[in-house]
Amino acid sequence: HIPTNKTTTMKFSAAIAALFMASEAAAFVPVASRAGAVPNSVRYSAVAEPENAEKAKVPAGLEKELNSLEKEIEAVNGDEKAEQAKEVSASLEKKSEEPKVFVPPPSAPSISEWDRIEPGRYNDMEMSLAMPMLKRPSKLDGTHAGDYGFDPLGLTESNDLYTMMEAEVRHARLAMIAVVAWPLSELVAPDWMLQGSNHLAPSVLNGFNPASFLATAAIFAGLGFFEFQTSLRINSIGTEIGKKHRADMQDVWKYGIPGDYNFDPLGLYDSFGDSAVGRKAMRELEISHGRWAMVAITAFAAWEAATGHAVVENRMFFEPNALLPALGVGWFVFNQIYEIKNTDQYMFQIETTSEGEMRLEEANRKMAYLAESAKGLGPLVESGIETAKGLKKKVDEFQEQ
């Protein structure tokens, strides 16, 4: 440690300079007058090796001055260390007196983020998530469930967004019912309720008979009345679920959620959590299934109109067969070994998982063991074949006699 006291530093520097000058001045003194001088080898060894310091002869006055300087340096260093220790102790005491406050980790969302839907999830995205070649529609910012920026025809620009969402979710729910009822009717309904010799489900494209027309008209009349009763945006103001929706969407608009019938007899709506985020996750699940159902029911109608055959005819999903279980087992085995990954550059990249590699190695070891076992059974099999040939020969000779 270098002392910070200026007086001490100056004295120490002066002493070193005097010592250096005294030793160098001896070089100009005649050899005879330097009989009592300290040899250079001894003087340098005293600096390099402390144990040889006693051999070096230093003037008494200069030695005394050096000793006093060393004491002053030690005193200065001791005072500085004491001051540093006091500062550290004071800072520790100050920290111990401060109240401890729990600070949640940065990744943990705050309570307010779970209690309401925050608008503008895709505000920073210029291009559509569903169709990256097109720009994101201005009204589709990821706020609502099922919003992936898909609107190639620009219907959200010229129509009311709430009305469009209400129409979609209602059609999605009807499609989910129809996609189950359509093939089920062709499997279990009496022939007089179906159409044609191939017993097709009644529809706009397949046609109706009087009985099926009356049944269909009654069903749609009941659904139409229900739709009319729940068509206004104020229908869920006083309901329990409606209050939750309005609280969830208070930062978005005042209308709550489209398609709110206040219908949840099994209490499944809060399966992902009794929060705004949990309820939105359930709506995401519903609209995703509903969209696939609308595609499927359209495919059912188009197939039967084009071919004249029922969708349940010769289909592995509707008739007992071994193909569907075999495909299920194959898919299960595939997932135990491989996984499919999508990157920003390639899609459907099949990679072997670490667990899959272990399973493949174990399978190879078992196959190798079975192969070795089969080699040992070779002579036994050959012996059995020879025995069978001998028995056949004897039987043939016995028949000839």
Side-chain angles (χ1 to χ4, degrees), residues 31-89:
V31 177
S33 62
R34 286 191 287 130
V38 180
N40 287 339
S41 60
V42 176
R43 184 167 64 251
Y44 292 150
S45 64
V47 176
E49 301 179 4
E51 61 271 11
N52 296 331
E54 295 180 357
K55 299 178 182 180
K57 295 181 180 180
V58 181
L62 186 57
E63 184 178 2
K64 185 177 180 181
E65 183 69 18
L66 288 175
N67 292 336
S68 64
L69 288 176
E70 290 178 358
K71 291 180 181 180
E72 290 182 7
I73 292 172
E74 292 178 357
V76 171
N77 291 340
D79 294 340
E80 289 184 355
K81 291 180 180 179
E83 291 178 1
Q84 291 178 358
K86 289 181 180 179
E87 292 178 359
V88 173
S89 177

Side-chain angles (χ1 to χ4, degrees), residues 129 241 309 342 368-369 384:
L129 185 65
I241 298 180
H309 292 274
N342 297 325
Y369 175 76

Side-chain angles (χ1 to χ4, degrees), residues 133-257:
M133 72 290 298
L134 299 177
K135 289 188 177 181
R136 177 180 62 83
S138 57
K139 291 184 180 180
L140 302 184
D141 58 358
T143 300
H144 302 281
D147 180 3
Y148 300 107
F150 181 82
D151 185 21
L153 301 180
L155 299 178
T156 57
E157 298 294 334
S158 56
N159 295 276
D160 179 66
L161 182 60
Y162 186 98
T163 303
M164 300 292 290
M165 294 173 62
E166 184 94 14
E168 182 188 30
V169 71
R170 290 171 186 266
H171 282 81
R173 289 167 179 171
L174 288 176
M176 285 188 284
I177 297 174
V179 80
V180 175
W182 187 297
L184 191 62
S185 65
E186 295 180 341
L187 290 173
V188 301
D191 293 343
W192 57 269
M193 286 290 292
L194 303 176
Q195 280 298 109
S197 59
N198 291 329
H199 308 296
L200 306 179
S203 67
V204 174
L205 297 180
N206 293 338
F208 298 92
N209 59 39
S212 62
F213 177 78
L214 291 176
T216 304
I219 292 173
F220 273 89
L223 292 175
F225 178 77
F226 178 76
E227 293 289 332
F228 175 75
Q229 293 296 323
T230 59
S231 61
L232 301 179
R233 303 184 187 190
I234 61 173
N235 69 305
S236 60
I237 289 180
T239 63
E240 180 182 357
I241 298 180
K243 292 178 180 178
K244 290 183 179 181
H245 284 162
R246 290 178 181 274
D248 295 346
M249 305 295 290
Q250 59 183 322
D251 292 340
V252 181
W253 57 21
K254 61 180 180 180
Y255 304 123
I257 299 298

